[in-house]
Amino acid sequence: MKTDNVIYMLHCMTPVHVGAGQGVGAIDMPMIREKVTQWPYIPGSSIKGVHRDYFRNNAGLSSDAYVNIAFGKESSGSDTDGGAAGALVMSDARILVFPVASGHGTFAYVTCPLVLKRLHRDLKATHMDMPGIHNILDKVNLLQKTALVHEDSKLLFQAEGTNSGSSTDTLSLDEFKFEAEKNPEFTEWASSLAKQIFPEDDTISQTMLTERIVLVSDEAFQYFVTMCSEIVPRIRMDTNTKTVGQGALWNEEYLPAEAILYGIIWCDTSLSGKSSLKNQDENLLSKLPDQAFLQIGGNATVGKGRVRCNYIQRGAAK
């Protein structure tokens, strides 16, 4: 099977809720998480579904034939038309950076070595590279008591160090403090990442990322992604009494705004090869725009689930 690949980057512009069903604890409607890591993610089926909706609602981008071949065709119900699977394969969106409240700089974009190792492995699968990521992975043993930050970080403040009379760069994440190290390799990688996630003309968002990104240990990251998600209480009003209805109070869990995820898109040419588009030499992946604004998950009518998606073709990593 011959394939090609594209990396996509999702930036959550508002909180996102892709649910895992009814919860059994204090959170009535938890968001979906990976079984092994307990890190939040967005299933590939959701990613593919919103892309199908995006192309169907933007008629100028593609034809109906493209939508059916790329994202699948529903069965008409007849014996001769059983439908077809879409040729574009979209992986789950994995967490890349998780936003955490910071005592200085308002909030931080937090990531960890294990996240970077998975990103590095996925980049290799797409024959892409990202400057600086190899050097960062060599620093994992230094992260037990320190955190790496960009050289232009706005998260730091001076605190008394472990040596008497000395002061050290410190950052505050949630209720914890870390000794911070401005690292040139991490600076190189974070600057490259900012260009991948945000458009070239959006220097404000690029600067927000580089000034706030921080690399912490895997254990610290695990705490943040499991304990610092956004919990929103919801109610339903009784229209007669104008008070909260009986049993109509529940808690929903959200992936916070500013979270960033990534995934891979490739084309299964064994499926696209059956289409007329193949004869017209039309590449399904080439229809993906440079950037798209998508609606993912529940509660769209109350402003949730707005994301920005950037697509990185092979060889386009900066």
Side-chain angles (χ1 to χ4, degrees), residues 145 157 159 170-179:
K145 296 181 179 180
F157 63 97
T170 304
L171 62 87
S172 172
L173 300 176
D174 194 43
E175 58 183 302
F176 304 101
K177 291 182 179 178
F178 296 81
E179 293 184 6

Side-chain angles (χ1 to χ4, degrees), residues 1-315:
M1 181 177 68
K2 183 181 179 182
T3 61
D4 202 351
N5 303 275
V6 169
I7 289 279
Y8 68 91
M9 296 281 186
L10 279 184
H11 172 224
C12 298
M13 304 180 71
T14 66
V16 173
H17 176 80
V18 178
Q22 194 75 26
V24 294
I27 301 174
D28 302 289
M29 300 181 68
M31 61 182 172
I32 194 166
R33 294 176 178 272
E34 295 177 359
K35 181 67 175 178
V36 175
T37 64
Q38 290 298 298
W39 296 354
Y41 76 103
I42 299 177
S45 57
S46 298
I47 298 294
K48 192 168 184 177
V50 299
H51 274 88
R52 180 186 177 88
D53 192 54
Y54 173 80
F55 278 96
R56 289 186 66 181
N57 292 332
N58 293 274
L61 293 178
S62 63
S63 63
D64 289 342
Y66 171 83
V67 172
N68 289 334
I69 295 166
F71 302 104
K73 181 177 180 295
E74 188 177 3
S75 169
S76 65
S78 68
D79 294 337
T80 57
D81 184 6
L88 287 187
V89 183
M90 298 189 168
S91 75
D92 296 340
R94 291 175 162 179
I95 193 72
L96 178 55
V97 297
F98 189 85
V100 177
S102 172
H104 290 73
T106 309
F107 77 95
Y109 292 101
V110 180
T111 189
C112 74
L114 182 56
V115 167
L116 299 191
K117 289 174 182 175
R118 299 208 306 181
L119 173 64
H120 179 58
R121 187 175 58 190
D122 291 335
L123 287 173
K124 287 185 67 176
T126 61
H127 307 286
M128 297 174 65
D129 198 4
M130 190 174 287
I133 194 168
H134 301 278
N135 297 327
I136 299 169
L137 295 177
D138 292 336
K139 294 281 186 180
V140 292
N141 294 328
L142 301 177
L143 296 175
Q144 297 303 319
K145 296 181 179 180
T146 63
L148 300 187
V149 296
H150 194 279
E151 291 176 342
D152 296 330
S153 178
K154 302 298 184 185
L155 301 173
L156 307 182
F157 63 97
Q158 291 293 309
E160 185 175 342
T162 53
N163 297 324
S164 177
S166 66
S167 62
T168 183
D169 285 333
T170 304
L171 62 87
S172 172
L173 300 176
D174 194 43
E175 58 183 302
F176 304 101
K177 291 182 179 178
F178 296 81
E179 293 184 6
E181 173 190 338
K182 292 182 178 180
N183 181 274
E185 289 82 14
F186 186 66
T187 296
E188 179 188 14
W189 174 77
S191 298
S192 173
L193 178 68
K195 295 176 182 177
Q196 306 299 328
I197 297 171
F198 302 109
E200 187 176 357
D201 59 353
D202 190 358
T203 56
I204 292 177
S205 295
Q206 292 181 18
T207 302
M208 282 178 60
L209 180 75
T210 54
E211 289 180 343
R212 290 172 173 79
I213 193 165
V214 54
L215 184 73
V216 300
S217 69
D218 295 337
E219 291 75 17
F221 185 79
Q222 185 75 15
Y223 174 84
F224 292 135
V225 296
T226 53
M227 303 300 291
C228 297
S229 59
E230 186 167 329
I231 309 299
V232 178
R234 298 285 305 278
I235 62 170
R236 185 180 66 253
M237 299 294 291
D238 187 309
T239 53
N240 295 319
T241 63
K242 307 301 182 186
T243 59
V244 179
Q246 184 67 30
L249 168 63
W250 70 95
N251 293 317
E252 296 175 347
E253 185 183 31
Y254 286 84
L255 190 60
E258 300 298 336
I260 297 171
L261 305 95
Y262 76 95
I264 305 173
I265 305 173
W266 66 93
C267 181
D268 185 342
T269 53
S270 66
L271 295 174
S272 64
K274 299 176 181 177
S275 74
S276 59
L277 294 179
K278 175 74 174 181
N279 297 330
Q280 296 170 18
D281 197 26
E282 184 173 1
N283 187 334
L284 296 178
L285 291 172
S286 68
K287 287 288 187 181
L288 295 173
D290 293 334
Q291 174 184 256
F293 292 93
L294 307 171
Q295 191 74 44
I296 291 182
N299 299 325
T301 59
V302 290
K304 310 300 186 185
R306 188 71 167 162
V307 303
R308 171 163 52 186
C309 189
N310 267 21
Y311 307 89
I312 307 167
Q313 301 280 347
R314 181 191 297 183

